[in-house]
Amino acid sequence: MLAVINATLPVFALILAGWLSARRQLLGPAGGDVLNRFVIYLALPALLFHAMTQVQPEQLAHGGYVLSVIAGIVVPFAIAFCVKRPRDARRTDVAIEALANAYANSGFMGIPLCLVVLGPESLAPAIIAVLMTACVLFGVTITLIEFDQHQGQHPLRTVLKTGRALLRNPLLIAPVLGLAWSFTGVPLPQAADRFIVLLGNAASPCALVAIGLFLAQAGAGGAPATVARIVFAKLAVQPVVTAVLVLYVFDMPPVWAWTAILMGALPIGTGPFMLAQMYRRDAQAASRAILVSTVISVLTISLLIALIQHQGMLRP
């Protein structure tokens, strides 16, 4: 329980800091917008770039693990596209909801929690889960959104405009460039690496403060049914699908299996909220789902850690 509290309390505190800042107008009327733009165009691209520079080819050789993590992402992601919606519903909104269904708070909460619960042997599989979430899932969602933004035009023109938009999107270009750099085998210069790390480390806390600002300014919002559906997909569907695959389908070290399950059981990260803000869509459901899933995860992750302890996998 202490490990879960240590991982979740900073999340609540940062959201609360944003909420109090908005209530007391400490950052001014444009503070939330400026903070969002900082995260989208500077901090988050730096975080994604640096994460991809750490990829080692041998880490991606664990096919069963990678497939399990991807399947755990795909199933809850697909749930959003199976829900009956009004005819005028935008695919952009569906894509953002789908992202929320599967986007774990893996970097900010997942890696520290895995290290506390499972020890340093969990770092490599945890990093792979972060990459699948923050880069692959993000890239697919952005592609779907960009196609929706340019729909109604000639198919070739739609493809060309979507391609140009993707090439200009920092959240997609940054991880691609990071992966390309990692394949060169050349380490980043120390000064550049330090700069990117410092900038990237600001992404999660600033995004959480931005959520607090948004919640204070937007008031109550987000359809309860939508929020409940998102939270159920994230906290129930994703870890169950992942657990079935890593425990009963693929053969892998126990530490890798339980790392995958623990990473899949994490609450929703800030990615869906940031994309909703970036594309000027309603972010109320995403922000509420992030908050609700984080609260509920204190219980669900505690139960999971108890199960890990029962299996004899808990770090001494």
Side-chain angles (χ1 to χ4, degrees):
M1 176 64 78
L2 182 60
V4 180
I5 293 175
N6 288 338
T8 57
L9 186 59
V11 176
F12 295 134
L14 286 165
I15 294 175
L16 178 62
W19 188 87
L20 292 174
S21 297
R23 288 297 183 183
R24 297 185 175 276
Q25 300 182 342
L26 296 180
L27 302 180
D33 183 63
V34 172
L35 193 59
N36 283 326
R37 293 179 66 84
F38 167 73
V39 174
I40 291 170
Y41 292 104
L42 290 174
L44 191 52
L47 179 67
L48 296 176
F49 176 86
H50 189 265
M52 294 304 286
T53 63
Q54 307 305 303
V55 175
Q56 302 296 325
E58 58 270 19
Q59 291 179 331
L60 300 179
H62 295 274
Y65 180 85
V66 172
L67 288 175
S68 299
V69 172
I70 291 176
I73 290 172
V74 168
V75 174
F77 186 87
I79 288 176
F81 295 92
C82 299
V83 176
K84 187 176 181 180
R85 303 176 188 274
R87 288 182 174 273
D88 59 347
R90 288 290 302 272
R91 292 179 184 174
T92 295
D93 296 322
V94 179
I96 292 173
E97 180 181 323
L99 178 65
N101 286 358
Y103 193 90
N105 194 349
S106 52
F108 193 69
M109 287 179 60
I111 290 179
L113 191 60
C114 285
L115 291 175
V116 170
V117 175
L118 295 167
E121 293 180 356
S122 67
L123 183 58
I127 289 176
I128 294 175
V130 171
L131 297 178
M132 295 297 105
T133 299
C135 299
V136 177
L137 178 59
F138 229 55
V140 170
T141 305
I142 291 173
T143 302
L144 292 174
I145 292 174
E146 289 294 346
F147 266 104
D148 181 56
Q149 298 293 308
H150 300 101
Q151 69 175 346
Q153 303 176 5
H154 188 277
L156 180 58
R157 176 171 292 185
T158 298
V159 172
L160 291 175
K161 285 192 173 183
T162 300
R164 284 198 296 268
L166 293 174
L167 290 175
R168 294 195 299 266
N169 192 308
L171 301 180
L172 191 60
I173 294 304
V176 171
L177 293 177
L179 183 63
W181 185 279
S182 74
F183 285 163
T184 66
V186 179
L188 284 169
Q190 185 175 359
D193 183 77
R194 184 60 179 159
F195 163 72
I196 294 171
V197 169
L198 286 172
L199 187 57
N201 285 345
S204 290
C206 287
L208 290 167
V209 170
I211 289 173
L213 290 168
F214 178 82
L215 288 172
Q217 295 167 353
T226 301
V227 174
R229 184 170 63 241
I230 293 172
V231 172
F232 177 78
K234 181 66 202 67
L235 296 185
V237 176
Q238 185 172 20
V240 168
V241 170
T242 305
V244 169
L245 292 174
V246 298
L247 296 177
Y248 301 109
V249 177
F250 296 107
D251 184 27
M252 66 188 70
V255 170
W256 282 63
W258 287 106
T259 299
I261 298 170
L262 187 57
M263 295 294 278
L266 294 169
I268 303 166
T270 56
F273 172 80
M274 301 313 302
L275 273 194
Q277 294 288 83
M278 181 178 184
Y279 287 98
R280 306 294 182 182
R281 306 303 300 172
D282 184 9
Q284 289 184 328
S287 60
R288 295 283 170 181
I290 291 168
L291 184 60
V292 171
S293 69
T294 303
V295 173
I296 296 176
S297 70
V298 175
L299 175 61
T300 56
I301 294 180
S302 295
L303 293 174
L304 178 57
I305 290 176
L307 179 59
I308 292 173
Q309 183 177 24
H310 179 71
Q311 296 294 321
M313 292 299 303
L314 192 65
R315 180 188 181 191

